[in-house]
Amino acid sequence: MRLVALSVAILMASATSAQSVEDAAKAFGSREAMGAAALSPDGTKIAFVGPSTGQGSFLYTLDTAVSTVPKIALKTSGNPERLYGCEWVSNTRLACLIGGLQARGEDIYGFSSVVALDADGRNLKLLSRRQEENALYSDFRGGGIIDYSPGDDMSVLMMRAYVPEANVNSLISKTDQGMGVDLVNSLTGASKRVETPRTNATEFITDGHGNVRITGLVVQNAVGYAAGKVDYRFRPKGGRDWQALSTYDYEGGAGFNPYTVDYAKDIAYGFRKIDGRQALVSVALTPDKTETIILQRPDVDVDGLMRIGRHNRVVGASFATEKRQTVYFDPDIKKLVTSLGKVLAGQPLIEIVDASDDETKFLIWSGSDTAPGTYYLFDRTAKKLQPIQPVRPQLASTPLSPVKPIRYPAADGTMIPAYLTLPPGSDGKNLPAIVIPHGGPSSRDEWGFDFLPQYFANRGFAVIQPNFRGSSGYGDAWYQQNGFQSWRTSIGDVAQAGRWLVSNGTANPEKLTIFGWSYGGYAALQASVLDPSLFKRVVAVAPVTDLANLKRDARNSFNRRVEERFIGSGPQIAEGSPAQNAVSITAPVLMFHGDMDVNVSIRQSRIMAEKLKAAGKRVELIEYPGLEHSLVDSAVRADMLKKSAAFLSGQ
């Protein structure tokens, strides 16, 4: 396949242009200009989300047949409503997920709803169920769309929340409760029951053609809390009765976890642990439930399922070694991506974001470590690749640094995979340096653009990102008991990343620092407990600091027992809590936290600050009112970046 050559230059600028502190922080801290993109069924229109002020967002729509300029169809303020993304119901109508956070006393609740609107923003309609005044309790889940192709051009299949209601005499008048499935007309809001609500229903999976084929039911213990397992049941093609499919243990990852159904092959694709690592498998949705291994690796988890279009057609799977790789099962899609790779040679990370129903037009994202990414529309018939929008246009004139996969020896000799980013034009010697452990802890870093290490490299720091033991993606043996229960190993690996930078001459030992977000913030603080003299300054964003308090925060959660088991018990609760060992920390500490954080309560940072102050240590906590865990506000992120760089530089 031969493609029309591009006439755009991709995001690499002169390395001679110097940025001020303010300009760099604003450029790297800016939210992505294009995200959550979707292509209309006929392939002519694109919808995407872009930032407005604060946490607000715009929904843009672009009719590529008539214009190159997107139009605003919807705006959310971010206070509290936020726009998460939209999909096309038809060629003229969209359905969007809107959510946010609200405080009730000391507790913070998330809420969501689904609305539909025309591509020009008109005819707005709520698709989530309204809760009546006589509802017996509140359920803030707005549900979600599980199928955009149920056969009616204006209708969708929705998972929706039901709450029982009482009449004035306190007798139950409506008993439905839990999650069910309705067929909902996106224009009128009229609905029809498809699946009866159940209190423990957590998931419904369709075949992409309007048929619910799999349901997931949370297994509960004797007192009503989640037991850490989901029972999946399937419905044979053309049948109505549910049959047992699998039981998935989401604590340990044991069992078959279905993700999607192939309509033509009558199979479910999903993941299962094989030899301690996740593999992609298929299971026949027939009584014999024949299981077939589709893709597995001896070194890392297979963790990505590549689906395209409104029917969610499976075309491949992906995994991450040093870099993410995709294996395409569909020969035509494989040929397409190979051809695109030749044209987009400087952007080897290529993703098919969406496809038209006839698969003649594709929405493509492409990027690399030094290219934050650009969206394109590819017309397979015309063999034309049209650039739509760079993800981070603010960085178009900013030199970015190559990210190098490396390995370094842990204290016991185990080789730890990591990524090293050096300042543009640097010789890589005797530099101020930062260790940035990832969040999670059930996560891992990957090769590609990341605004945090790129910002600090721009400011003159060498940056290492370790995938310490306790990271996910490398199998059970690497994951161990997770980064909290196996904290000595995990934090030891993090600290060793800093020692390695010093030993090979990359880092000036007097200018070695550490920065972490979420679990990474925990790791930054706990590494300074483990070796107080190693890191000269510590920045922790939204960190976990006290494991006992973290367990108490989970006490009212439906997943209480699961979360308690994840955190663990015994001496490690005190020994593994930075706040309980604040006296050992000698480096100055700077923390940032949003006061609407539902992932990690701001109490965690406040406890740490109090403990450090009581021990006579230097500490500053900067609180951002109305912000959640990710600090999704360009001005706030710029402020955090600027202050972090100044602090880590010793200013």
Side-chain angles (χ1 to χ4, degrees):
M1 182 179 296
R2 185 175 179 180
L3 306 180
V4 175
L6 292 177
S7 61
V8 292
I10 305 298
L11 296 182
M12 197 62 204
S14 168
T16 60
S17 59
Q19 281 182 301
S20 69
V21 172
E22 290 281 347
D23 288 344
K26 287 180 180 178
F28 284 94
S30 292
R31 293 161 57 192
E32 294 185 347
M34 181 174 179
L39 188 64
S40 63
D42 66 2
T44 64
K45 301 180 184 68
I46 298 171
F48 64 92
V49 176
S52 64
T53 57
Q55 298 182 79
S57 296
F58 291 116
L59 167 63
Y60 293 96
T61 58
L62 173 63
D63 188 338
T64 62
V66 299
S67 176
T68 60
V69 180
K71 296 181 179 180
I72 296 173
L74 182 68
K75 179 182 178 180
T76 55
S77 68
N79 186 28
E81 292 85 4
R82 292 177 56 190
L83 177 62
Y84 294 122
C86 304
E87 298 286 347
W88 292 92
V89 176
S90 68
N91 293 320
T92 60
R93 196 151 175 82
L94 291 150
C96 303
L97 178 63
I98 294 175
L101 301 170
Q102 53 191 359
R104 291 192 175 185
E106 293 186 356
D107 295 321
I108 301 171
Y109 297 91
F111 66 90
S112 65
S113 60
V114 178
V115 300
L117 69 161
D118 292 342
D120 60 6
R122 298 178 182 178
N123 297 320
L124 190 70
K125 190 72 178 180
L126 177 68
L127 302 188
S128 298
R129 294 190 74 254
R130 293 185 183 274
Q131 289 185 21
E132 305 298 333
E133 293 182 357
N134 55 350
L136 295 184
Y137 57 83
S138 295
D139 190 326
F140 300 112
R141 299 173 297 173
I145 296 175
I146 60 173
D147 199 318
Y148 288 86
S149 306
D152 180 345
D153 193 43
M154 284 296 171
S155 294
V156 293
L157 280 182
M158 280 192 67
M159 185 167 71
R160 302 208 292 181
Y162 282 77
V163 175
E165 300 172 14
N167 63 22
V168 293
N169 297 317
S170 297
L171 297 175
I172 300 296
S173 57
K174 293 184 179 180
T175 59
D176 288 339
Q177 61 178 320
M179 283 292 186
V181 176
D182 295 338
L183 179 67
V184 184
N185 185 290
S186 69
L187 193 59
T188 67
S191 65
K192 176 183 177 182
R193 174 72 53 81
V194 174
E195 299 293 339
T196 301
R198 299 187 61 167
T199 56
N200 62 337
T202 186
E203 188 175 4
F204 295 93
I205 301 173
T206 77
D207 58 8
H209 290 73
N211 305 299
V212 179
R213 299 294 306 278
I214 296 175
T215 183
L217 306 174
V218 175
V219 178
Q220 297 171 267
N221 61 20
V223 292
Y225 289 107
K229 297 180 180 180
V230 176
D231 276 340
Y232 285 102
R233 301 173 186 179
F234 79 97
R235 178 179 284 147
K237 183 177 285 189
R240 292 298 303 169
D241 295 334
W242 293 107
Q243 299 181 22
L245 177 63
S246 65
T247 297
Y248 177 66
D249 181 344
Y250 56 85
E251 283 189 87
F256 173 64
N257 185 12
Y259 269 52
T260 194
V261 173
D262 187 299
Y263 175 81
K265 297 179 181 178
D266 199 23
I267 60 174
Y269 286 102
F271 297 96
R272 179 189 290 280
K273 287 277 186 72
I274 299 175
D275 297 329
R277 292 183 179 87
Q278 188 167 269
L280 177 67
V281 303
S282 68
V283 175
L285 297 182
T286 54
D288 58 6
K289 295 182 289 187
T290 301
E291 185 168 316
T292 304
I293 298 173
I294 305 299
L295 182 65
Q296 69 178 130
R297 295 279 303 185
D299 50 352
V300 294
D301 293 336
V302 177
D303 55 9
L305 186 62
M306 315 308 294
R307 294 171 282 183
I308 62 172
R310 294 197 302 166
H311 299 300
N312 283 323
R313 189 169 77 87
V314 174
V315 296
S318 70
F319 54 89
T321 52
E322 289 185 342
K323 300 179 181 179
R324 182 155 290 273
Q325 303 174 56
T326 301
V327 175
Y328 289 100
F329 313 138
D330 183 284
D332 288 340
I333 297 298
K334 180 179 180 179
K335 183 179 179 181
L336 167 65
V337 174
T338 300
S339 298
L340 289 170
K342 294 176 182 177
V343 175
L344 301 169
Q347 302 178 82
L349 299 177
I350 297 175
E351 177 185 348
I352 299 177
V353 178
D354 208 347
S356 61
D357 279 356
D358 63 4
E359 295 186 13
T360 61
K361 296 181 176 67
F362 298 87
L363 186 60
I364 305 293
W365 176 92
S366 180
S368 72
D369 54 345
T370 57
T374 300
Y375 283 90
Y376 304 88
L377 180 63
F378 176 61
D379 186 325
R380 178 187 262 178
T381 303
K383 297 182 175 62
K384 180 182 177 182
L385 188 63
Q386 174 187 349
I388 300 298
Q389 170 78 43
V391 173
R392 292 180 177 270
Q394 302 88 348
L395 295 175
S397 60
T398 301
L400 301 176
S401 299
V403 177
K404 181 181 179 182
I406 58 99
R407 290 178 180 267
Y408 66 88
D412 62 2
T414 301
M415 298 304 292
I416 309 299
Y419 297 97
L420 180 64
T421 308
L422 299 176
S426 166
D427 64 0
K429 298 298 180 184
N430 198 37
L431 297 169
I434 309 175
V435 177
I436 302 185
H438 61 72
S442 303
S443 182
R444 60 156 289 174
D445 279 315
E446 292 190 26
W447 184 86
F449 175 85
D450 185 331
F451 81 95
L452 280 173
Q454 287 291 344
Y455 168 76
F456 288 120
N458 177 274
R459 296 293 90 194
F461 292 90
V463 178
I464 189 170
Q465 299 168 271
N467 280 327
F468 47 86
R469 283 170 288 184
S471 302
S472 61
Y474 296 93
D476 291 344
W478 194 264
Y479 185 71
Q480 301 195 353
Q481 291 179 287
N482 78 57
F484 286 128
Q485 296 194 47
S486 302
W487 74 265
R488 290 188 183 278
T489 300
S490 300
I491 304 305
D493 291 350
V494 170
Q496 194 66 17
R499 298 189 191 100
W500 181 78
L501 287 178
V502 171
S503 68
N504 68 13
T506 300
N508 180 335
E510 298 306 314
K511 296 181 179 180
L512 179 65
T513 58
I514 189 166
F515 176 108
W517 200 319
S518 193
Y519 177 86
Y522 164 83
L525 292 164
Q526 190 64 5
S528 299
V529 170
L530 196 67
D531 188 344
S533 65
L534 182 61
F535 298 109
K536 308 310 176 187
R537 299 212 167 202
V538 180
V539 173
V541 184
V544 171
T545 69
D546 189 285
L547 297 182
N549 192 273
L550 189 66
K551 290 180 73 170
R552 285 194 292 271
D553 284 344
R555 63 187 180 276
N556 295 323
S557 168
F558 177 65
N559 285 315
R560 171 183 176 180
R561 304 302 183 195
V562 176
E563 293 179 27
E564 287 176 342
R565 289 196 294 268
F566 182 82
I567 297 166
S569 58
Q572 66 100 6
I573 293 297
E575 294 170 358
S577 295
Q580 300 306 315
N581 299 278
V583 68
S584 297
I585 296 176
T586 59
V589 174
L590 174 62
M591 293 185 290
F592 302 89
H593 215 131
D595 69 0
M596 291 289 285
D597 193 336
V598 293
N599 296 71
V600 179
S601 169
I602 195 171
R603 290 191 296 272
Q604 292 281 328
S605 285
R606 290 171 177 169
I607 291 170
M608 190 75 212
E610 291 171 1
K611 294 286 188 177
L612 286 167
K613 287 176 182 177
K617 311 295 182 177
R618 179 180 164 185
V619 59
E620 180 181 7
L621 169 59
I622 297 174
E623 298 186 6
Y624 293 120
L627 269 291
E628 39 68 85
H629 192 66
S630 299
L631 303 180
V632 183
D633 182 312
S634 295
V636 167
R637 284 192 173 184
D639 181 71
M640 182 269 293
L641 290 176
K642 182 179 68 173
K643 289 176 178 175
S644 294
F647 176 79
L648 294 172
S649 298
Q651 299 176 24

